[in-house]
Amino acid sequence: MLLAVALIILIVGSVLFHILSPWYLTPLASNWSMIDFTIDVTFWVTGFVFVAVNAFMAYCIIKFRYNKERRSEYQPENHKLELWLTGITAVGVAAMLAPGLWVWAEFVTVPEDADEIEALGQQWHWSYRLPGDDGKFGNVDAKLISDDNPFGMDPDDPHGQDDRLIESNGVHLPVGRNVKINLRAKDVLHNFTVPQFRVKMDMVPGLVSYLWLQPTEAGEYEVLCEELCGIGHFAMRGKVVVDEAVDYDAWYAAQPTYADILARPQGDPVAGQARYAVCVACHGAQGEGMQVMNAPKIAGQEDWYLRRQLNYYKTGVRGAHPQDVFGQQMAPMVMTLATDQAMEDVIAYIGNLPDQPAAATITGDVARGEDIWVTCGACHGYEAQGLKSLNAPRMAGMTDWYLARQLENFKANIRGRHEDDLYGWQMAEMARVLKDDDAVNDVVAYVNTLGQTQVAAASLQAGAAYAGAEE
């Protein structure tokens, strides 16, 4: 009897949980209401079966409980019962499958007037490509993918010159227009999903899959990867902004074309030396950093990371948090680099400064730090050399007290929580593996032991390049 009571409580509790629970599907923001219909049908069919089977089990336990005055009856076959069970099962399965087949037929048939974009997935990042004014995508090839050509663009294809390349986790879509999203993966299986759109599709390396939808509600929505793709899978998130036509056209016009990227100005280290005069007071003449000025070492840091952080300071993504005191000091200094050329010049000059390892100031349990670094090394490289393909900067040989401070800032949500700092958001989540101050010190102490040979080689190379530039 206790088992029968438990089954009845399970039935009633499950039904009440569904009725009273605040958790259900996110608000629909696309044309795919048919997906909701199929989910509802599946829920009601399986829900009915769940209640019926458990109720029948409770009934049997009560009805046929032990009675020493009663003997069991053996019935090897019951054709009537078999017909009923077969018929009910067939109806239930058909009710679940038929709507899905109908929806799938719509899903694979892209409207002829659909705009096209491309979403590119990689560990653990999204990027996007839009056709230019000619309405045609340029050719791409996985063999052409590199740090300087992350999309694998074919430079000899004229159709690709006006393609809009978005090296960011965020993309915009126009409201009320059909959009076909072509899907590519650079490394492992990924899955492109926006819950409010109700459509999702796997991204398979070497193939181009697709999905289509019509956004119906303006707003911001989160892009998720729903295929386990590695240690940073949970942080592989992006943003889709659905705009009205005017706002979308303005955003589209502001995105760089492939031709624009190829024509970006090259930095002039000689001109950058004069511009660097503003930076010297804090970061030092050789970019070695000065703790007394709360300025980290920047010599030896990768140019793409310096560029991103300088742009973040200029746009308020960094240095705006009220508790980021030192970031607030940096933000107005960056404004002295008024143009992209000025920024590129300074970055070029910094790239030619001698790269000497920063002095170690933090001690900790190196062995414990090595264990923790297994997680960090998945992005930053196991020698902390930095991996541009994973948007993770170099840490080896850099300023240890600054690394510790930034890890604490990420943990405290002082850094990485701005809505446009999607990479910082990933780091803020990953930093939570460092449970206390000792863990931060241990992992930084371990980083201090890494990359010494690499740093020395980079220093010699930078010195030679600078000497050549002066000549």
Side-chain angles (χ1 to χ4, degrees), residues 59-76:
Y59 167 78
C60 288
I61 292 171
I62 297 171
K63 176 70 175 177
F64 303 107
R65 64 188 182 277
Y66 173 72
N67 185 341
K68 66 180 181 180
E69 303 293 334
R70 183 171 57 200
R71 296 180 62 82
S72 61
E73 180 182 352
Y74 176 57
Q75 291 187 2

Side-chain angles (χ1 to χ4, degrees), residues 63-186:
K63 176 70 175 177
F64 303 107
R65 64 188 182 277
Y66 173 72
N67 185 341
K68 66 180 181 180
E69 303 293 334
R70 183 171 57 200
R71 296 180 62 82
S72 61
E73 180 182 352
Y74 176 57
Q75 291 187 2
E77 294 184 8
N78 189 322
H79 293 294
K80 184 177 180 181
L81 179 61
E82 289 174 1
L83 288 174
W84 272 104
L85 289 176
T86 301
I88 292 173
T89 301
V91 170
V93 171
M96 289 190 294
L97 293 184
L101 295 174
W102 174 41
V103 173
W104 180 252
E106 293 289 326
F107 184 83
V108 298
T109 306
V110 181
E112 294 183 0
D113 64 346
D115 301 328
E116 289 194 57
I117 72 167
E118 179 183 82
L120 186 62
Q122 67 182 83
Q123 294 175 317
W124 288 278
H125 167 72
W126 301 102
S127 51
Y128 303 90
R129 181 166 65 116
L130 288 74
D133 295 336
D134 62 1
K136 297 180 179 179
F137 282 116
N139 292 330
V140 292
D141 192 326
K143 296 178 181 178
L144 298 174
I145 292 176
S146 66
D147 284 349
D148 296 325
N149 186 8
F151 290 86
M153 298 291 295
D154 181 356
D156 297 324
D157 182 7
H159 292 303
Q161 294 296 310
D162 64 349
D163 284 3
R164 308 277 175 162
L165 305 184
I166 305 163
E167 295 185 59
S168 166
N169 276 328
V171 70
H172 290 228
L173 296 177
V175 68
R177 281 161 54 182
N178 295 322
V179 180
K180 177 185 178 184
I181 305 179
N182 299 301
L183 305 171
R184 286 199 293 146
K186 290 172 63 175

Side-chain angles (χ1 to χ4, degrees), residues 253-442:
Q255 304 312 304
T257 66
Y258 181 46
D260 292 336
I261 292 173
L262 292 176
R264 278 177 177 169
Q266 297 296 312
D268 179 356
V270 176
Q273 183 174 12
R275 299 184 187 279
Y276 186 75
V278 178
C279 314
V280 167
C282 293
H283 290 281
Q286 301 298 314
E288 70 275 18
M290 290 190 285
Q291 186 171 5
V292 69
M293 300 301 295
N294 295 290
K297 174 192 171 190
I298 52 178
Q301 188 54 272
E302 292 146 304
D303 57 355
W304 62 267
Y305 184 71
L306 293 174
R307 185 178 299 111
R308 177 187 295 163
Q309 298 309 307
L310 289 172
N311 279 318
Y312 277 180
Y313 278 118
K314 291 183 74 171
T315 57
V317 175
R318 280 194 71 180
H321 194 285
Q323 292 179 261
D324 187 8
V325 177
F326 305 119
Q328 290 178 344
Q329 294 174 353
M330 179 64 184
M333 304 303 293
V334 174
M335 296 303 176
T336 62
L337 305 174
T339 65
D340 290 343
Q341 183 65 62
M343 188 183 300
E344 294 299 326
D345 292 345
V346 167
I347 292 172
Y349 177 71
I350 294 171
N352 287 336
L353 293 175
D355 181 13
Q356 298 297 328
T361 65
I362 289 180
T363 59
D365 185 338
V366 173
R368 182 176 180 233
E370 184 176 9
D371 291 338
I372 297 172
W373 184 256
V374 172
T375 300
C376 310
C379 291
H380 291 275
Y382 289 103
E383 286 296 317
Q385 74 273 21
L387 296 173
K388 183 178 186 298
S389 60
L390 296 179
N391 296 288
R394 168 188 162 184
M395 298 173 69
M398 306 308 287
T399 309
D400 60 358
W401 55 263
Y402 180 76
L403 295 179
R405 177 189 295 162
Q406 296 311 303
L407 288 171
E408 295 291 356
N409 283 348
F410 279 122
K411 289 178 61 180
N413 295 330
I414 295 172
R415 182 178 172 187
R417 291 304 183 184
H418 190 282
E419 62 179 3
D420 293 325
D421 189 5
L422 296 175
Y423 305 114
W425 185 91
Q426 291 178 338
M427 185 61 203
E429 294 299 307
M430 298 302 290
R432 297 185 185 281
V433 303
L434 305 171
K435 299 300 185 183
D436 51 35
D437 292 343
D438 287 340
V440 171
N441 290 337
D442 292 344

